[in-house]
Amino acid sequence: MRFGMKTTLSPQTYRRTWPCRNVTKHDVALLGALMLEAYRGTIDYEGETLEEAQAQAQREIDGKYGPLLHDCSFVCEIDGMARGAIMISRWHDVPLVTDIMVHPGMKNQGLGAFLLQKSMNALLELGETELSLYVTDGNTNAQHVYAKLGFEVVQSYD
């Protein structure tokens, strides 16, 4: 089961920051590799290969879930490797987190929350008022971060 969550945007203060830049169309290989590492062994892993993860990253960049909002989508690279990323698209006229991924070596350090907060602030600068996302039931770490940042469950899907 998955939950649809939504929040009304408000300015976010970062507890900690990391070097980030906007996602570009040239980041497919980088994002695919990060996606595979971030999801492998989790409730969201479905046995994807590197090629399948890269194809998914390509589809998201190409607009599978609506146009990618490049100004609100970020990748954090540390020591030349992608350690975290978030992609935001416009889905049915509402900004949607299509992917947020954190490398296993960076888990529980606040990188996911930072990426989400950075995107929330970027959306506010564009005049947006809300943000939606979907989360898998059982992904308790993500659910905790989302609730802490003001997201509330608005629907559930089997």
Side-chain angles (χ1 to χ4, degrees), residues 15-90:
R15 191 179 58 140
R16 184 174 173 193
T17 63
W18 284 267
C20 289
R21 63 171 175 76
N22 293 105
V23 169
T24 73
K25 64 182 180 179
H26 305 290
D27 289 325
V28 171
L30 180 111
L31 292 171
L34 175 60
M35 188 180 295
L36 186 62
E37 289 300 314
Y39 293 145
R40 184 181 290 145
T42 73
I43 196 166
D44 290 309
Y45 183 62
E46 297 175 347
E48 297 90 348
T49 64
L50 176 59
E51 293 77 19
E52 290 168 332
Q54 289 172 334
Q56 176 62 25
Q58 183 71 63
R59 286 189 295 272
E60 290 181 41
I61 288 172
D62 289 345
K64 177 181 180 178
Y65 304 108
L68 185 70
L69 301 177
H70 291 275
D71 291 342
C72 306
S73 300
F74 301 97
V75 61
C76 294
E77 292 179 275
I78 300 168
D79 299 326
M81 294 182 65
R83 297 300 184 181
I86 187 168
M87 290 191 278
I88 309 286
S89 292
R90 181 169 302 288

Side-chain angles (χ1 to χ4, degrees), residues 128-150:
E128 299 292 346
T129 59
E130 63 184 21
L131 178 60
S132 296
L133 58 80
Y134 295 90
V135 63
T136 303
D137 185 22
N139 188 346
T140 54
N141 287 344
Q143 289 170 311
H144 175 74
V145 169
Y146 302 151
K148 194 172 176 181
L149 293 177

Side-chain angles (χ1 to χ4, degrees), residues 11 26 85 92 96 147:
H26 305 290
H92 297 291
L96 171 72

Side-chain angles (χ1 to χ4, degrees), residues 1-5 133-138 143 153 155-157:
M1 180 171 10
R2 292 176 57 84
F3 298 106
M5 302 182 80
L133 58 80
Y134 295 90
V135 63
T136 303
D137 185 22
Q143 289 170 311
V153 174
Q155 56 194 139
S156 62
Y157 303 90

Side-chain angles (χ1 to χ4, degrees), residues 101-116:
M101 49 199 134
V102 175
H103 189 277
M106 297 295 293
K107 297 276 186 192
N108 301 314
Q109 295 183 40
L111 180 55
F114 166 73
L115 285 162
L116 192 52

